[in-house]
Amino acid sequence: MPRYDFTSQRLFVDHDLQAGARFELDRAQANYLLNVLRLGDGDHVLLFNGRDGEWRADLLPSGRKKADLELVSQTRPQPTPSDLIYLFAPLKQARMEYMVQKAVEMGAGVLQPVFTQFTQMRKLNHDRMEAQIIEAAEQCGILSLPVLEKGLPLMGAVERLTDERLLIFCDEGEESQNPLLPLTQAPKGKPLAILVGPEGGFSEDERSALRALPNTLTIPLGPRVLRGDTAAVAALAIVQATLGDWH
């Protein structure tokens, strides 16, 4: 049996969800359901708010661009949020949007932008990134929205991690080409953080400072240099498969 209903439209709403609740959709969402998807009276959609699980709701149109939703029943309970922290250097807009979407899909629980010596993008569109998080969650059946933190200097963000959390430092300068060996030998069950740098890489000072930290595991990401958005997918996949919630 499929874990999720992928045939129904899923929608994020900022309302409390409980049986019998009814509320009016905002204009953009009503227009999308009624005029883009051409849903009609009595059609159902799946709703989530990041707190109350997933709910089936009936669509009740009251105009061309106006409709209510009435909640019928819960289809999935709210899961425990992911504890995986993904630290990343901001990228240019299109690649940044891709990276944010893929980090959500791959199970990151916290997205922490960090500014390194070679970070090119210093301004963040927080609202746009939040929209990308919601869009990815809507499309992929995710119920717990990752927390998007404000950008911090690299070492300031790293110093905020707790002592018991294992920081997986993805270093393109690592001599080895195989990330599996250090990951499979790492202690299991620790909370995790993954750090991927900018497309210009880390400076030698940053590398030295990161490697000197306790509870840091340095890994390569294979024999080829990866762009920042590709590195995000590679790092999250290999860590989830060995130490994370794929394991």
Side-chain angles (χ1 to χ4, degrees):
M1 180 181 294
R3 288 176 293 171
Y4 313 132
D5 175 2
F6 286 110
T7 62
S8 300
Q9 177 63 36
R10 299 182 73 252
L11 201 64
F12 174 82
V13 293
D14 192 17
H15 294 273
D16 292 334
L17 303 179
Q18 57 186 353
R22 179 169 174 166
F23 55 86
E24 183 178 347
L25 281 168
D26 68 42
R27 187 176 181 86
Q29 289 178 323
N31 180 64
Y32 179 67
L33 294 181
L34 297 175
N35 300 313
V36 177
L37 298 182
R38 298 191 178 280
L39 299 182
D41 190 14
D43 286 337
H44 71 268
V45 296
L46 298 175
L47 305 181
F48 70 106
N49 60 6
R51 305 183 302 273
D52 300 323
E54 180 183 76
W55 288 75
R56 180 184 180 276
D58 289 342
L59 181 65
L60 306 172
S62 55
R64 286 189 63 252
K65 296 183 180 180
K66 190 174 182 180
D68 287 356
L69 285 173
E70 185 171 26
L71 274 69
V72 178
S73 60
Q74 189 181 65
T75 53
R76 284 191 287 155
Q78 185 67 27
T80 302
S82 168
D83 187 51
L84 176 62
I85 301 175
Y86 181 64
L87 301 97
F88 62 94
L91 306 171
K92 294 181 180 179
Q93 182 174 341
R95 293 189 176 276
M96 180 80 135
E97 292 179 359
Y98 176 88
M99 186 214 67
V100 168
Q101 290 174 351
K102 300 312 169 189
V104 175
E105 293 175 30
M106 299 295 287
V110 176
L111 302 182
Q112 175 63 72
V114 297
F115 300 115
T116 70
Q117 184 174 334
F118 297 143
T119 299
Q120 297 180 4
M121 302 302 295
R122 297 281 170 173
K123 293 184 178 180
L124 298 174
N125 187 333
H126 201 275
D127 290 342
R128 180 61 180 165
M129 293 171 70
E130 289 278 12
Q132 293 296 323
I133 289 172
I134 290 171
E135 181 179 330
E138 287 179 335
Q139 293 177 352
C140 297
I142 294 167
L143 298 183
S144 292
L145 296 178
V147 175
L148 175 61
E149 300 286 4
K150 294 182 179 179
L152 293 172
L154 171 61
M155 297 311 296
V158 169
E159 288 168 1
R160 291 180 62 182
L161 302 176
T162 57
D163 291 340
E164 68 271 13
R165 187 175 295 273
L166 179 64
L167 173 63
I168 300 170
F169 167 36
C170 301
D171 183 10
E172 77 283 357
E174 180 71 358
E175 291 183 5
S176 167
Q177 296 180 351
N178 180 9
L180 282 173
L181 183 59
L183 286 170
T184 53
Q185 293 180 342
K188 305 296 189 293
K190 281 180 170 288
L192 303 173
I194 302 173
L195 170 62
V196 172
E199 293 182 349
F202 293 97
S203 71
E204 289 304 319
D205 287 343
E206 288 169 339
R207 280 197 184 94
S208 297
L210 289 166
R211 287 170 179 266
L213 293 172
N215 220 20
T216 298
L217 177 67
T218 304
I219 67 167
L221 289 177
R224 288 163 290 277
V225 176
L226 305 179
R227 300 190 68 148
D229 50 343
T230 310
V233 177
L236 285 160
I238 195 71
V239 171
Q240 290 284 51
T242 53
L243 297 176
D245 61 14
W246 297 6
H247 178 66

